[in-house]
Amino acid sequence: MIWQLDLFLLILVVICAVATITVKDLLSATIIFSAYSFLMCLLWAEMGAVDVAFTEATVGAGVSTIFFIAAIFRTTRRSKD
Amino acid sequence: MEDIAAHIMAKYNYWIYVVLMMIGFYAMIGKRNLVKKLLGMNIFQTSIILFFISTGAKKGGSIPILDKYAALQGAVDVNQVVNPLPHVLMLTAIVVGVSVTGVALAVMQRIYRKYGTLEEDEILLKIENE
């Protein structure tokens, strides 16, 4: 565990989380959330939890993003807040 | 005073987890769009998983994959490997979270088909007018 890398990734994660809930377009929010999941996966690999990092990279950044995009295309992209 | 500041800085990662958790909590309560609420729930969940994983991390700890022969001879130093127990528990939590997301998105599509919108206040207005 390298604390400089840890702090850098944590700050990026917080920026991505704030961007996810402030962006008005739902598709961009989903893509930023995918970047958030990938940064989270890097953080876990850096902490030594490689199995959790694998699962997050496939399931969190992959499958759940596809779920969100499919649901947004079937409903609406517009968001008021 | 410096003592308190040093105390706070020593656990800087825990403070960032709390910030992430509160961002997710705010999105679940303050946002009116249902997809935004679901994204907030996912952020909340990943921050808790991050907290649990970090409790297993050690300074100078390697990944928990051991050499078989060294392990059989009992020559494993516990301080050299991170604790794998939180990893196993949190693997289950990630999978459960994705299934919860899938069910929530399916319910959202039914709501959109019935009311034609994903905003909470507009849905409540349409329910009242029925």
Side-chain angles (χ1 to χ4, degrees):
Chain A
M1 202 168 141
I2 313 159
W3 75 267
Q4 289 94 343
L5 183 63
D6 196 46
L7 193 60
F8 176 67
L9 286 174
L10 280 173
I11 290 169
L12 276 184
V13 157
V14 171
I15 291 171
C16 275
V18 171
T20 303
I21 67 165
T22 43
V23 164
K24 287 214 193 300
D25 186 16
L26 285 180
L27 193 62
S28 355
T30 307
I31 299 301
I32 297 170
F33 183 70
S34 158
Y36 168 90
S37 287
F38 180 68
L39 286 171
M40 210 55 125
C41 155
L42 284 182
L43 208 51
W44 286 329
E46 182 256 333
M47 278 179 188
V50 273
D51 43 353
V52 187
F54 273 142
T55 319
E56 176 71 15
T58 54
V59 164
V63 175
S64 82
T65 308
I66 292 172
F67 279 178
F68 268 109
I69 290 175
I72 286 168
F73 275 140
R74 280 164 153 265
T75 57
T76 176
R77 238 177 110 162
R78 175 188 72 91
S79 161
K80 276 202 298 192
D81 53 7
Chain B
M1 198 63 207
E2 271 181 21
D3 199 39
I4 297 172
H7 227 71
I8 289 173
M9 282 309 292
K11 295 266 187 273
Y12 66 93
N13 48 351
Y14 288 171
W15 292 102
I16 297 180
Y17 305 158
V18 171
V19 167
L20 271 180
M21 226 165 112
M22 287 304 120
I23 290 171
F25 200 49
Y26 167 71
M28 280 166 77
I29 291 179
K31 297 284 172 183
R32 280 196 298 256
N33 191 287
L34 292 178
V35 179
K36 280 283 172 68
K37 278 178 192 279
L38 192 58
L39 285 172
M41 196 193 78
N42 271 314
I43 291 174
F44 193 94
Q45 179 200 1
T46 41
S47 78
I48 290 174
I49 295 175
L50 190 56
F51 168 70
F52 269 89
I53 294 292
S54 78
T55 57
K58 286 172 190 166
K59 277 208 178 82
S62 175
I63 55 172
I65 298 173
L66 302 178
D67 182 23
K68 181 183 161 195
Y69 299 104
L72 282 177
Q73 285 170 354
V76 177
D77 186 8
V78 191
N79 289 320
Q80 296 295 312
V81 288
V82 298
N83 188 0
L85 181 65
H87 303 180
V88 182
L89 298 175
M90 289 308 116
L91 269 181
T92 327
I94 289 177
V95 177
V96 170
V98 169
S99 24
V100 168
T101 308
V103 173
L105 286 170
V107 173
M108 248 172 240
Q109 288 182 29
R110 289 305 298 261
I111 290 174
Y112 185 78
R113 223 177 286 167
K114 184 157 185 197
Y115 296 106
T117 176
L118 281 180
E119 306 286 331
E120 199 188 12
D121 44 346
E122 291 176 14
I123 293 170
L124 286 176
L125 213 65
K126 285 190 179 175
I127 290 176
E128 274 178 17
N129 290 337
E130 267 176 3

